């Protein structure tokens, strides 16, 4: 895939998608454990997703993932929080690693 600043291999995109999926999933135990820095973790994750979105051609699925995370960030009902986080995890695999969104 050709990004804004040059060529990025499919392997690199897969690794980034794996990172996002893992990082998003961590939001579940962090919420249950009342992790002190949960909001900062959300902020960092959303910043990284935002940067990735810009570099990868503003893929609509990335915006949906970010929207779900922004919803979860302030949600107090754990059932709704969990659904938003798991939905976001599931959408990560829909991020394109081809040239269709560049």
């Amino acid at each position: 895939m050709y990004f804004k600043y040059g060529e990025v291999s499919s392997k690199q995109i897969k690794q980034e998608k794996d990172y996002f999926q893992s990082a998003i999933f961590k939001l579940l135990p962090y919420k249950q454990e009342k992790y002190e820095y949960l909001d900062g973790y959300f902020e960092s994750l959303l910043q990284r997703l935002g940067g990735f979105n810009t570099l990868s051609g503003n893929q609509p699925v990335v915006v949906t993932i970010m929207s779900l995370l922004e919803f979860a960030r302030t949600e107090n009902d754990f059932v709704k929080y969990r659904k938003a986080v798991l939905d976001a995890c599931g959408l990560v695999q829909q991020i394109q690693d081809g040239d269709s969104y560049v």
Side-chain angles (χ1 to χ4, degrees), residues 7 9 13 18-19 23-25 30 42 50 65 70 81-82 90:
E7 190 74 27
S9 72
I13 299 297
D18 289 346
Y19 165 80
I24 293 168
F25 189 79
Y30 283 175
F42 266 108
I65 293 166
E70 194 60 46
Y81 177 90
R82 182 178 183 274

Side-chain angles (χ1 to χ4, degrees), residues 20-80:
F20 284 132
Q21 205 161 35
S22 175
I24 293 168
F25 189 79
K26 285 180 187 176
L27 291 166
L28 293 175
Y30 283 175
K31 178 78 164 185
Q32 288 177 309
E33 297 165 3
K34 296 180 180 13
Y35 180 53
E36 180 180 359
Y37 303 107
L38 181 60
D39 193 61
Y41 187 83
F42 266 108
E43 184 69 29
S44 177
L45 182 55
L46 286 164
Q47 285 175 350
R48 187 162 175 172
L49 277 162
F52 178 82
N53 188 42
T54 300
L55 291 175
S56 66
N58 299 309
Q59 297 183 43
V61 70
V62 179
V63 174
T64 304
I65 293 166
M66 293 175 72
S67 297
L68 287 165
L69 295 178
E70 194 60 46
F71 168 81
R73 188 176 186 177
T74 58
E75 183 54 54
N76 292 320
D77 180 340
F78 188 75
V79 173
K80 291 178 182 177

